[in-house]
Amino acid sequence: MSAASTQIREEILYWCRESVRTGLNFNTQGNISVRLPEHEAIVITPSGIRYDVLTPEEMVVVGYDGVVREGDLFPSTETDVHLAHYRRRPDVNAIVHTESPYVNVFGALGKAIDPVLLNMVLYAKGAVPVMPFEFSTNSAFGERSAEILGDAVNAVVWANHGLLSVGEDLPGAFKVAVAVEANAQVLAGALALGTPRLLDLAEIVIPEGARLP
């Protein structure tokens, strides 16, 4: 029996296709993984496969040691990066990497993405930092990315490359990716017109029992 259930594999595929549908990814860009704590492993998308032809069975299970345990395809070239983030953040159970256009505008400028929308504050938890550009397919990059992400926020921009977002579960990590891209688009427009009002999570009063958007 596989360490990754059919349900988990199908969920990953669903959000992969959503990332293309919503314009966060294109071609074979981006990757998604989910932690399998009971097996000390993760399940991750394979490298170089278009999401419209990818199947749940083609997902790859990789141990915390980086060794492939299940799957005939090569895992994402950024598997080591995902593993580094899981090591740093025990609260994280899912990771989404996207090539979001407006996020990449800020990444190309080396500018952090400040929060101007409520969803950005609620899901990303604050301003999203930018990691200086470097090639991403190695564990050293992953360790630096995880260090810049830190423990307080849920996303980091890779300069000239894209966004990595994390969450307690896969829908949550995807919400972060969507929120950061929407915020980046509004922030770009607001900066073109004037000086935007920034939001601070510490200053927002959330009524007891309120459901998040």
Side-chain angles (χ1 to χ4, degrees):
M1 180 179 294
S2 172
S5 69
T6 299
Q7 180 180 352
I8 291 175
R9 293 166 178 268
E10 289 178 345
E11 183 181 26
I12 292 173
L13 181 56
Y14 171 81
W15 292 111
C16 284
R17 291 176 176 173
E18 277 294 286
S19 74
V20 174
R21 187 187 69 81
T22 55
L24 300 181
N25 276 322
F26 55 92
N27 293 334
T28 62
Q29 301 301 306
N31 37 69
I32 291 177
S33 71
V34 170
R35 190 197 292 266
L36 304 170
E38 66 277 18
H39 298 286
E40 297 189 341
I42 66 171
V43 55
I44 192 166
T45 47
S47 176
I49 307 295
R50 294 199 329 264
Y51 296 145
D52 60 332
V53 298
L54 182 64
T55 68
E57 295 75 24
E58 290 174 321
M59 303 299 171
V60 185
V61 175
V62 181
Y64 287 168
D65 57 2
V67 176
V68 173
R69 296 186 185 174
E70 298 177 29
D72 297 324
L73 299 177
F74 195 82
S76 168
T77 55
E78 285 155 348
T79 297
D80 286 343
V81 179
H82 286 239
L83 290 170
H85 282 272
Y86 285 122
R87 284 194 295 270
R88 170 66 188 251
R89 292 280 295 268
D91 61 310
V92 166
N93 292 305
I95 293 175
V96 174
H97 167 47
T98 59
E99 299 282 354
S100 319
Y102 277 89
V103 164
N104 275 334
V105 169
F106 283 87
L109 294 170
K111 285 181 170 289
I113 302 175
D114 291 318
V116 292
L117 296 181
L118 178 60
N119 276 2
M120 169 79 162
V121 176
L122 294 178
Y123 294 117
K125 303 299 184 184
V128 175
V130 180
M131 179 180 179
F133 175 79
E134 60 179 284
F135 208 70
S136 64
T137 60
N138 59 80
S139 58
F141 175 93
E143 297 294 342
R144 283 188 284 274
S145 176
E147 181 67 26
I148 291 171
L149 174 69
D151 302 319
V153 297
N154 289 330
V156 58
V157 178
W158 296 343
N160 308 86
H161 187 154
L163 181 78
L164 181 136
S165 61
V166 302
E168 293 182 1
D169 55 27
L170 186 44
F174 194 83
K175 281 183 178 181
V176 174
V178 171
V180 175
E181 173 63 9
N183 186 93
Q185 184 172 357
V186 171
L187 179 59
L191 288 170
L193 295 174
T195 302
R197 177 183 183 276
L198 304 184
L199 296 179
D200 185 338
L201 181 61
E203 297 175 355
I204 297 175
V205 178
I206 302 175
E208 185 176 349
R211 293 172 61 89
L212 296 185

